[in-house]
Amino acid sequence: MTFPISRQGMQDIALFLIAGAVVFVLLTLVTRYRGGEWRRFAISAGALGALVIVSYALAFTVAPNIPTPPVPFTARFAQNPTPNSAATVDSGRATFLANCAICHGPRGLGDGPQAFLLQPRPVNLQLHVPQHADGEVFYWISEGVAGTGMPAWKETLEETKRWEIVRYLQALASGKVSLGP
């Protein structure tokens, strides 16, 4: 089983915890200056500090690193024109299995037969796809990802087929389709 939160997500959680710790440190200082009971604020700041350490420890040990390749700003807002139907998902699955499973594996886990020959390895799409807008995923399928083995498919697959793959990947990541072999 893969850790359910990415490295970047754990780092974001740690930043919020740092902000909370800073607030409690300030409350501790103000309360102590005014002569009030400051210990509970100090304990809260310490507890949040410990959680920051745990978050960073998890981020750099067990959480998967899912770097996000850049996309044009407008690509983030592109909407999937294909219907969200079983037929679209089935067509996307067939296209995915024929073209993408060689690297990403039939379940999109990044464990296809060619994956072990690539550096960096293909990402786990079940974790990666839910974190991005439709247009971003479509852009990466269309244009490829620089510095990786991910090729551009815009010359090989028609636009509708690429959008259908996006629908299939979303359904796969949400558990709405069977995971296959």
Side-chain angles (χ1 to χ4, degrees):
M1 180 175 156
T2 306
F3 194 73
I5 302 174
S6 70
R7 175 178 297 172
Q8 292 80 7
M10 290 302 297
Q11 289 173 314
D12 290 344
I13 290 169
L15 289 176
F16 282 109
L17 291 170
I18 289 170
V22 167
V23 168
F24 278 107
V25 165
L26 291 174
L27 286 171
T28 301
L29 294 174
V30 168
T31 306
R32 184 165 186 204
Y33 176 74
R34 290 184 177 175
E37 178 55 43
W38 55 272
R39 284 180 175 42
R40 66 181 171 159
F41 293 121
I43 291 170
S44 297
L48 288 175
L51 289 174
V52 167
I53 293 169
V54 168
S55 293
Y56 275 118
L58 289 173
F60 290 101
T61 56
V62 296
N65 185 20
I66 304 176
T68 303
V71 298
F73 184 71
T74 55
R76 290 186 172 99
F77 301 104
Q79 296 297 311
N80 194 335
T82 61
N84 191 6
S85 66
T88 302
V89 171
D90 288 342
S91 178
R93 178 184 179 137
T95 306
F96 179 86
L97 291 175
N99 297 285
C100 312
I102 188 84
C103 296
H104 289 284
R107 295 175 292 159
L109 299 176
D111 60 353
Q114 290 293 322
F116 303 101
L117 304 175
L118 299 173
Q119 192 59 293
R121 298 229 355 238
V123 297
N124 180 338
L125 295 173
Q126 290 189 36
L127 289 177
H128 199 64
V129 169
Q131 297 180 6
H132 300 284
D134 292 0
E136 291 177 305
V137 177
F138 177 79
Y139 178 83
W140 292 318
I141 293 169
S142 300
E143 302 295 329
V145 178
T148 71
M150 175 68 183
W153 290 96
K154 67 181 175 186
E155 302 297 327
T156 308
L157 298 174
E158 60 188 54
E159 182 175 346
T160 304
K161 291 292 184 189
R162 288 177 274 145
W163 280 115
E164 288 172 349
I165 291 172
V166 173
R167 285 276 185 226
Y168 169 67
L169 292 174
Q170 291 170 333
L172 183 67
S174 67
K176 293 179 182 173
V177 295
S178 65
L179 298 177

